Amino acid sequence: MSDKPAKTRVVILGGGTAGWMTAAALVKQLGHACTVELIESEEIGIVGVGEATLPHIRFFVESLGLDEADFMKATHATFKLGIEFHDFGRVGTHYLHPFGSFGAPLNDIPFHHYWLQLQSKGKGGELWDSSICNVMAARNRFAPPPPGSALYSYAYQFDATLFGPYLRDYSIARGAVRTEGKVVDVERDAETGDVTSLKMESGERIEGDLFVDCSGFRALLIGQTLQEEWEDWSRWLPCDRAVAMPCTPPPGGIEPYTRAHAMSAGWRWRIPLQHRIGNGYVYSSAQISDDEAADALVAAVEGEPLADPRLLKFRAGRRKRSWSNNVVAVGLASGFLEPLESTSIYLVQGAIAQLIELFPIGRIRDEDRAEFNRVTDAEYDRIRDFLILHYHATERADSSFWNHIRTMDVPDSLHQKMELWRRSAHVAKYSQGLFFEPSWVAVYVGQGIMPDGWDQRVATLDPVAVQGAVERMLAQISSAVDPMPDHAEFIRMRNASIEQPR
Amino acid sequence: MNEDGAIRSIVVTGGGIVGLSAAIAFARALPDTSVSVIETPVDPAALADRLPTALPEISRFHALIGLDEQELVRSGIATHHLGTLFRHWSASGEEWVHAFGAYGKPVGTIRFDQVWLRARAAVKALPFDRYSMGAALARAGKFVHPAQDPNFVGSRFLYGLRFDPDRYRERLRAHCEHSRVEFRDGQIADVERREDGGIAALHLEDGARTEADLFVDCAGPSAQLLSGIDDSFEDWGSWLPFGRLTLTSEASGDIPATADRVAAGTESWTIEWPLRGRTMTARIGREGDVRITRGRRLRPWVHNVLALGDAATALDPLQGLNLDAAHSAILLALELLPGRDFHAVEIDEYNRRAEQVTRRMRDFSALPYLRSGRTDGEWAQFVEREPPDSLALTLDQYGFRGRLPFYEEESVTRDSWAAAMLGLGIIPRNLDPQSREVPLEEAVPAMSRLAAEIEQIVAGLPSYADYLARMSR
């Protein structure tokens, strides 16, 4: 076992969020094991629209050793406590999917079980009263959880077009090489099929041992070159386009949460950054035209448009194999799930983490490729089910889009999960993957799927003790939130405002 | 389930530790449900009922059923258990300790076994278990309660319990009396089935007929109730290859050691459990008094029949997981307790998760057989055997670079896997590239300080005899 084998030459194709996140993580965590070269073309541009993230992003930011305030200033970021869904289960309703729990367990029994029993007796109030994130969000307050607290977490809402360049500076400062230009040809080993080099428009050839395909929907290496098969999920997730348009922020505060509004042929995001609101309408092109979608978006946004509507095309699904030969697809080249639950950057982060765990030592092994694909598939499949739930759990019958999605067959894995919930209020448990019990509970209850039963052990709880515990919990939440500053104020206190010098 | 459809009566068959534990747990969790135990005698092959050893997780179970651990120790029923000493069970022939709790200290996000491998390759390092407080205590035969301060090495270990099985069973039985559990003597003469395939009632030899909503089969590996309904079974005999066990007991000094002791021979292996005043020993091999089962029921829950303990999952004694497997299943059954109609969706979820819980227990138990490091006697052929898929992946990933793949519901910790792998002599062929970011000039002295600190703390502690004497005062 040698301590100093030759460095693996990593070539990253594509300089969007996925590309620069990959570069930054590799130079930071595997600087002794690899060289990193990233090819990007200013002509091609990137997909990045305003990005909402999940709490995992904090570990990424932390693992790079970035200063949170500096990172937030650079990306115009705000804090995020969850996603507020409007009109999904039924028009006129809304609920928050919080980055935190509902209440606290009593005698090992999760809160929602005894809350359901209280509900059956006309008591217990709203489930969301027991979510500190919801109380903070409703009052536009923000403060981070105390160190070590697992009560809630938070993420960021930031401008993805600024996040890439921020990580570019970081990566280049730590040794990554950036090459500007377009790839015109991909050269492969005749015997193994491995990619050996990328030929640039300038005539330059860039050789590598491992190629990371961050070329977005084009999937130049994993798709066009290696022809890795695509597994199509559009029968469950029919939205295939988005039109995006930022606007000025409304007067008043900045919400510490993202909003998702169900629309007649899809849904609309609203992501408040420090300086603007990101908006976009994700829709099914089978149901409405691009112009109709753009008009609907323009009509719906609250502020003054800051740009013309911009069109994006995609399809839901993933590659059968994200790692094939010596090409690893990260980001949209690997798969696409609409940003309903802000999962795009998380999937990038997950792929990078697996790539680092399974980073080649010498030649690439089949075993490591298979393991990467095993983990990646599980991530995609579980997120897919969670997204489908948002559409399927609805009473809406006001458009052919909702009629289709309400009545369609869902994957067996989701059907089982929903049946289990309906009967017993249990959430099928998985430790790996993204969404845990409170997330599923939020969507089920928020979209009106109320279970017939709950944990039998609830009957053992003394009603007076339950009442006392609920009251104490509500009091604790309000005494925790009362002193919290306004969200925008906290950004300034944190010295993270774009109005403050970097 | 809402209250109308709830399970109202439970009958447990099997009067051993598992049956009594399950009965108490159900009775205490479900005050409106009647729980009774048909005290069929303990099957000699029901190892979860017969072995004297339990993992640290037992403290959670004891808390749940209201059993006072301190009192168990003071009354001489239980002693503390810090891990297992493995002898003649590695490529190098060196002894090693699988202790509960942490080995060393990670550097940032780099796990300690990776740091250790790097240090070992670059300079030198002491054996892996020298960086574990629990292992050092176990070797020295001492005990102290883990400290509170997480920065202090004295907080980074866990302990299980070891108990006299007969006295522990008696203690559980007495505890049943405080827990609304009723008892029936006797043997089952006949099983009356329901139309849906479940069980309607049990007929006892004295002619009594006992109905229940739920029947819990804790009567040992033959799974008397469950096997009559669904006999599908996954045999693990290829991976846990020894099928016979002889259990003996000998008087010994009053003060036990704090580690279980395992020693491999050429045709068999032995494990010693030092109890107060006596030592229990098991010999496991091709010959022995009792034929033991190794495997699991594919569907431990079918209709209204739930199998627990050896009736559901039967492991050999090597990793001491037997009772832990039973406790995990009891807790899972409580968490997912279905309604009286036992709908397939709910039962399927129990069986899905139960499978995940036991899969890695099997793998961890199989590891020392399939990679014993020995080339003599029976051992040479075990290395040729194809491991179960999840263990094969673990061996490949650990052997190549020291990575451990993730598995749902796995209870075996990374530290435990690393301790066993490295103890057996499975040294990864490559350093994980991430570990090369660890600054050795800092990490190596920190490791030396840690080992010295552990040694010093352990040397300064009084003997376990003193500890027990102080406790009973």
Side-chain angles (χ1 to χ4, degrees), chain A residues 357 365 423 426 431 454 456 460, chain B residues 1 29 31 335 338 341 408:
Chain A
E357 281 242 322
R365 303 189 315 145
R423 293 197 53 85
H426 284 300
S431 318
W454 46 82
Q456 284 185 40
T460 67
Chain B
M1 225 348 55
E335 186 190 327
D341 55 355
E408 291 287 343

Side-chain angles (χ1 to χ4, degrees), chain B residues 363-378:
Chain B
D363 290 354
F364 194 58
S365 301
L367 173 69
Y369 289 106
L370 303 187
R371 295 293 181 274
S372 63
R374 297 180 54 137
T375 50
D376 56 331
E378 298 266 5

Side-chain angles (χ1 to χ4, degrees), chain A residues 220-391:
Chain A
L220 186 68
L221 302 179
I222 196 85
Q224 291 180 33
T225 304
L226 296 180
Q227 297 287 318
E228 267 308 318
E229 209 181 321
W230 179 267
E231 189 171 319
D232 186 86
W233 289 343
S234 58
R235 64 189 176 285
W236 297 307
L237 296 167
C239 289
D240 58 354
R241 300 224 174 145
V243 56
M245 185 188 74
C247 70
T248 56
I254 306 171
E255 293 93 338
Y257 54 91
T258 293
R259 275 197 236 155
H261 292 265
M263 305 278 280
S264 67
W267 63 280
R268 171 169 64 87
W269 75 73
R270 181 187 183 281
I271 303 173
L273 310 184
Q274 289 191 32
H275 61 305
R276 64 164 167 85
I277 306 283
N279 305 286
Y281 183 2
V282 176
Y283 58 95
S284 160
S285 65
Q287 304 288 342
I288 54 169
S289 71
D290 298 340
D291 288 344
E292 286 172 306
D295 291 348
L297 178 66
V298 170
V301 302
E302 295 150 55
E304 294 301 316
L306 289 170
D308 289 332
R310 194 175 136 221
L311 185 68
L312 297 156
K313 297 180 182 176
F314 47 76
R315 55 195 171 142
R318 64 164 163 78
R319 298 275 157 206
K320 287 247 162 90
R321 291 182 302 183
S322 286
W323 188 339
S324 175
N325 284 86
N326 62 339
V327 173
V328 182
V330 174
L332 303 173
S334 152
F336 180 80
L337 288 165
E338 57 188 83
L340 188 56
E341 282 283 358
S342 316
T343 47
S344 309
I345 287 184
Y346 167 80
L347 283 165
V348 169
Q349 199 182 330
I352 294 169
Q354 287 308 315
L355 174 60
I356 289 173
E357 281 242 322
L358 294 161
F359 197 77
I361 302 171
R363 72 173 179 87
I364 298 170
R365 303 189 315 145
D366 287 342
E367 293 87 342
D368 290 345
R369 273 188 287 256
E371 175 68 354
F372 181 92
N373 291 329
R374 175 182 88 103
V375 175
T376 304
D377 290 357
E379 288 277 17
Y380 270 98
D381 293 357
R382 285 178 200 158
I383 295 172
R384 176 199 68 190
D385 281 3
F386 190 55
L387 296 188
I388 295 171
L389 176 67
H390 291 69
Y391 284 119

